[in-house]
Amino acid sequence: MSRLASTFEELAKTGRKALIPFITAGDPSPNFTVPLMHAMVEAGVDVIELGIPFSDPMADGPVIQRASERALAHKMSLRRTLEIAIEFRKTNQTTPVVLMGYLNPIEAMGYEDFANAAQRADIDGVLTVDLPPEEGMECSALLKARDIDPIFLLAPNSTDERVQKMDLAGSGYIYYVSLKGVTGAGHLNITDVENKLKQIKAHTNLPIAVGFGVKDAQTAQAIANVGDGVVIGSALISKIEANLDNPEQAHKEIIELLVSIRQAMDN
Amino acid sequence: MNNKYNMPDDRGHFGPYGGIFVAETLMPPIQELNEAYQRYINDPEFIAELDKDLKYYVGRPSPLYHAERWSRELGGAQIYLKREDLNHTGSHKINNTVGQALLAKRMGKTRIIAETGAGQHGVATATIAARLGLECVVYMGAVDVARQSLNVYRMKLLGAKVVAVESGSKTLKDALNEALRDWVTNVDNTFYIIGTVAGPHPYPAMVRDFQSIIGREAKEQCIEATGRLPDALVACVGGGSNAIGLFYPFIDDASVKMYGVEAAGDGVATGRHSAPLCAGRPGVLHGNRTYLMCDDDGEIIETHSISAGLDYPGVGPEHAWLKDTGRATYVNITDTEALEGFYALTRMEGIIPALESSHAMAYAMKLAPTMSKDETLIINLSGRGDKDMQTMAKREGIEL
């Protein structure tokens, strides 16, 4: 069983929901990321989504765009993101790591080389924002052959047909984009999410993690009541942005936020 | 025996290029658009309305002008200019915006968004939005807003909201990113009018089909003027909409050579250019697989060109396919050479071309003398140079 599958299974047994932080690898600097990943695990997160910096992050709001820009200014890349994952794995063999990013860096590396490199880095899942299943079968097959879960997105306007398509194409979990918009947008409607998740659940047994628009303990708690996992990204990265002259403070504030979210979700 | 060109396939692939590479939220609207497009492109009523607009609003057909003096001066092929500069709003861009806006209206969309580089597509979109009474938002890189201020003013006059995009390199690619972000946020009421033959399927095929009026007319006009097909076609290529519009109706005419001219900026060897077909590599950006300017890590490289309309790191996927199959040849022209083309046409024929089109003029100056006097060369004069007066005056040290 994949690390992601067993993580969600364990959580389900205890009636808890997955807390999934998203951070951009190498933001604000390459040395910041691995210690933060370990500290996030200490704070009670279940899965880590590690963003691959990209020059043109079309589905992201300004906060994550700037995170990519800061990381790229330090010459971060897909290759160096994988190195960060390897470094993390040296002292943590249990927490799943999901790479999240855009297709072009993977295209540039080549699908097979990427799949091999991801396997060497002991990556658990790969979510490629601009690679829908229609175009993604070749890459997904290479990942699956190496026990890496290809993770796909669903959105508020996804039809039943598309839910079924993701159920067949994806594994690990489905990432539900909770609103029409970019990451970090501010108009999350819990009732809409709840209704949509019911529709999705009718067609898939995969766990559903909900992201885009989760900002604080309150929204995370509300989402945890309806989904299997809560993804939080822009709100964490905002802490980095607010403390660019003081990375230790950023680290501290991210952990504080995650601790408060964990508590709220478990209540 | 049936080897007629019939790209793309039904999922938008031109060989390995094209396709649909977008985030999930955009899949339903793209599917909706594709269905509407397939329905209306074969609907006689839609076509009749489009033809009427092209004739009375755009001013088509545009003339095929024999540049006799310039041809004599260059001493080779007879040069004919396809005068897209004479269209309403001053470039070929309006052919496509008229078509897409009619589609938007039929789909019940009330809000139009667009990206623009030089501002020609933005102006053409704002124009048609004004005419149809639709809300219009145009995304434009902050660098382009500064260098094409005349077009920014035109768009505002027409009632459009122009958003200066400050992210990334602040040029056309960043405007496209921002337009995609807008679309994903407002998918229910918004129609995204892409201005070039890029983006996810069906855009490359749809924009081509709307622009192919250029080649259809040119073919007929050339036969009327010379009694036969042209020997060569030349057009500038940024995203590649004016080039594909000219090339497409000639693809099955094997005797007609096609030259797409990319912007070499300071020279391809310097790395400061916008010539993905000449010096890039295949990759995925803005919804399709095509040649891109990116580094070994797949990060998009900043481009450079004197002309804002060619300052783009990608190119339409059909051009990628025409390059790989050898049907079209892609060459490049530096900023300096483009200026020579600009001055040559201005002074030899009394026609001031856009800086984008000047790249095609400059290549024709190299090509024409290698051809014989009884051969015909058609250059797509895709836009007029009025929008570039400030840039040119500044280069000459003149304050307007």
Side-chain angles (χ1 to χ4, degrees), chain B residues 60-380:
Chain B
R60 302 205 72 89
S62 69
L64 185 70
Y65 166 73
H66 187 189
E68 289 181 69
R69 183 166 176 239
W70 201 30
S71 303
R72 229 177 9 253
E73 163 85 11
L74 292 171
Q78 298 308 307
I79 295 173
Y80 285 80
L81 302 172
K82 183 57 176 163
R83 298 291 308 272
E84 294 301 302
D85 61 317
L86 294 177
N87 293 339
H88 180 39
T89 73
S91 82
H92 71 291
K93 291 293 186 189
I94 190 104
N95 301 329
N96 167 52
T97 58
V98 163
Q100 288 198 49
L102 287 181
L103 203 54
K105 209 175 71 174
R106 276 178 168 64
M107 291 171 71
K109 304 291 182 186
T110 56
R111 182 172 175 273
I112 298 277
I113 57 170
E115 85 295 337
T116 197
Q120 292 302 95
H121 174 59
V123 168
T125 304
T127 296
I128 201 71
R131 176 164 171 254
L132 297 175
L134 300 170
E135 184 190 346
C136 180
V137 179
V138 179
Y139 292 92
M140 190 169 185
V143 168
D144 294 336
V145 167
R147 63 179 162 172
Q148 301 284 341
S149 57
L150 209 58
N151 272 343
V152 175
Y153 179 63
R154 288 168 82 194
M155 287 184 268
K156 286 181 179 166
L157 266 184
L158 290 159
K161 183 181 166 201
V162 180
V163 179
V165 178
E166 297 283 352
S167 58
S169 61
K170 304 177 189 184
T171 59
L172 181 53
K173 82 171 171 76
D174 311 286
L176 236 147
N177 290 339
E178 214 52 41
L180 285 167
R181 289 178 188 124
D182 179 312
W183 198 23
V184 96
T185 307
N186 302 292
V187 285
D188 296 329
N189 70 342
T190 297
F191 190 106
Y192 179 14
I193 299 188
I194 293 185
T196 192
V197 285
H201 179 66
Y203 282 102
M206 176 170 68
V207 176
R208 172 198 73 194
D209 290 348
F210 287 136
Q211 290 294 359
S212 63
I213 182 79
I214 301 171
R216 290 199 304 275
E217 285 177 6
K219 196 178 209 176
E220 210 178 291
Q221 291 165 324
C222 182
I223 290 170
E224 196 185 301
T226 68
R228 56 185 196 86
L229 288 172
D231 298 285
L233 310 173
V234 175
C236 65
V237 176
S241 70
N242 90 79
I244 212 79
L246 177 63
F247 293 176
Y248 181 60
F250 291 97
I251 289 180
D252 286 327
D253 300 311
S255 67
V256 181
K257 294 192 176 76
M258 301 173 176
Y259 299 92
V261 186
E262 293 194 303
D266 291 343
V268 165
T270 66
R272 283 174 51 78
H273 61 86
S274 305
L277 288 168
C278 293
R281 56 195 277 174
V284 170
L285 181 70
H286 294 150
N288 67 97
R289 183 180 285 117
T290 186
Y291 279 84
L292 294 178
M293 301 218 359
C294 64
D295 64 19
D296 290 345
D297 292 319
E299 305 294 344
I300 306 304
I301 300 172
E302 285 200 17
T303 53
H304 173 80
S305 171
I306 189 172
S307 67
L310 303 183
D311 212 343
Y312 181 64
V315 63
E318 192 160 18
H319 287 294
W321 176 245
L322 293 176
K323 171 193 157 78
D324 282 10
T325 57
R327 179 61 190 93
T329 305
Y330 294 88
V331 297
N332 58 83
I333 282 292
T334 64
D335 287 352
T336 310
E337 290 170 324
L339 290 172
E340 287 168 21
F342 176 90
Y343 286 116
L345 190 69
T346 301
R347 296 194 180 147
M348 293 302 298
E349 295 289 346
I351 298 171
I352 302 177
L355 284 173
E356 290 76 17
S357 321
S358 298
H359 288 72
M361 302 305 145
Y363 185 69
M365 287 165 73
K366 294 183 181 183
L367 182 63
T370 69
M371 297 168 68
S372 77
K373 284 182 179 136
D374 52 11
E375 287 186 304
T376 307
L377 167 60
I378 296 179
I379 315 173
N380 200 4

Side-chain angles (χ1 to χ4, degrees), chain B residues 36-52:
Chain B
Y37 176 61
Q38 301 302 340
R39 179 158 81 246
Y40 289 116
I41 199 67
N42 296 311
D43 172 9
E45 214 173 291
F46 179 86
I47 297 298
E49 194 177 346
L50 176 62
D51 286 348
K52 192 176 159 200

Side-chain angles (χ1 to χ4, degrees), chain A residues 24-99:
Chain A
T24 300
D27 169 40
S29 61
N31 296 334
F32 186 80
T33 306
V34 175
L36 179 62
M37 289 168 80
H38 288 302
M40 291 196 301
V41 173
E42 289 283 306
V45 310
D46 303 288
V47 177
I48 294 173
E49 286 186 356
L50 190 59
I52 306 162
F54 184 52
S55 53
D56 294 79
M58 288 150 282
D60 285 300
V63 171
I64 294 180
Q65 286 173 46
R66 289 192 292 262
S68 257
E69 284 175 15
R70 285 192 294 272
L72 290 173
H74 288 282
K75 304 269 179 243
M76 279 303 298
S77 61
L78 171 54
R79 239 168 269 276
R80 293 188 65 192
T81 302
L82 288 162
E83 285 167 14
I84 282 177
I86 289 170
E87 190 62 30
F88 172 74
R89 269 286 171 263
K90 283 182 182 163
T91 48
N92 179 322
Q93 283 86 46
T94 52
T95 308
V97 174
V98 171
L99 291 183

Side-chain angles (χ1 to χ4, degrees), chain A residues 1-266:
Chain A
M1 189 185 291
S2 79
R3 216 182 255 130
L4 277 169
S6 58
T7 297
F8 277 98
E9 203 178 273
E10 282 301 312
L11 284 165
K13 274 187 206 157
T14 54
R16 293 165 78 238
K17 303 299 171 71
L19 173 55
I20 309 175
F22 169 94
I23 54 168
T24 300
D27 169 40
S29 61
N31 296 334
F32 186 80
T33 306
V34 175
L36 179 62
M37 289 168 80
H38 288 302
M40 291 196 301
V41 173
E42 289 283 306
V45 310
D46 303 288
V47 177
I48 294 173
E49 286 186 356
L50 190 59
I52 306 162
F54 184 52
S55 53
D56 294 79
M58 288 150 282
D60 285 300
V63 171
I64 294 180
Q65 286 173 46
R66 289 192 292 262
S68 257
E69 284 175 15
R70 285 192 294 272
L72 290 173
H74 288 282
K75 304 269 179 243
M76 279 303 298
S77 61
L78 171 54
R79 239 168 269 276
R80 293 188 65 192
T81 302
L82 288 162
E83 285 167 14
I84 282 177
I86 289 170
E87 190 62 30
F88 172 74
R89 269 286 171 263
K90 283 182 182 163
T91 48
N92 179 322
Q93 283 86 46
T94 52
T95 308
V97 174
V98 171
L99 291 183
M100 184 166 178
Y102 294 82
L103 183 58
N104 202 48
I106 295 173
E107 287 256 327
M109 188 179 276
Y111 290 170
E112 189 149 11
D113 285 355
F114 168 68
N116 289 334
Q119 187 180 32
R120 278 197 301 276
D122 207 354
I123 294 295
D124 298 284
V126 175
L127 198 172
T128 315
V129 178
D130 54 351
L131 186 62
E134 283 82 353
E135 300 284 357
M137 282 308 150
E138 186 191 343
C139 194
S140 292
L142 289 164
L143 293 172
K144 280 184 172 172
R146 290 159 181 79
D147 292 321
I148 299 170
D149 291 313
I151 294 163
F152 289 97
L153 301 166
L154 281 171
N157 53 357
S158 297
T159 57
D160 287 348
E161 191 194 335
R162 290 207 68 79
V163 177
Q164 286 158 354
K165 191 167 259 181
M166 302 311 166
D167 179 57
L168 287 174
S171 56
Y173 59 94
I174 281 174
Y175 187 126
Y176 178 64
V177 174
S178 65
L179 47 83
K180 292 173 188 161
V182 293
T183 50
H187 47 275
L188 182 64
N189 181 320
I190 300 293
T191 314
D192 289 351
V193 173
E194 187 173 6
N195 291 335
K196 189 70 189 183
L197 291 193
K198 274 184 198 148
Q199 184 206 327
I200 293 172
K201 289 271 184 189
H203 298 284
T204 181
N205 292 321
L206 286 172
I208 316 288
V210 180
F212 280 46
V214 180
K215 342 182 106 48
D216 48 27
Q218 205 184 350
T219 42
Q221 186 178 34
I223 289 292
N225 287 332
V226 297
D228 303 303
V230 178
V231 185
I232 180 159
S234 296
L236 302 180
I237 292 173
S238 295
K239 305 291 184 193
I240 293 177
E241 199 154 69
N243 295 289
L244 284 176
D245 52 350
N246 188 352
E248 279 142 44
Q249 182 65 20
H251 178 109
K252 186 167 157 263
E253 288 184 18
I254 287 171
I255 298 306
E256 281 168 4
L257 179 57
L258 287 172
V259 166
S260 73
I261 289 173
R262 179 82 263 175
Q263 281 168 356
M265 283 170 63
D266 291 348

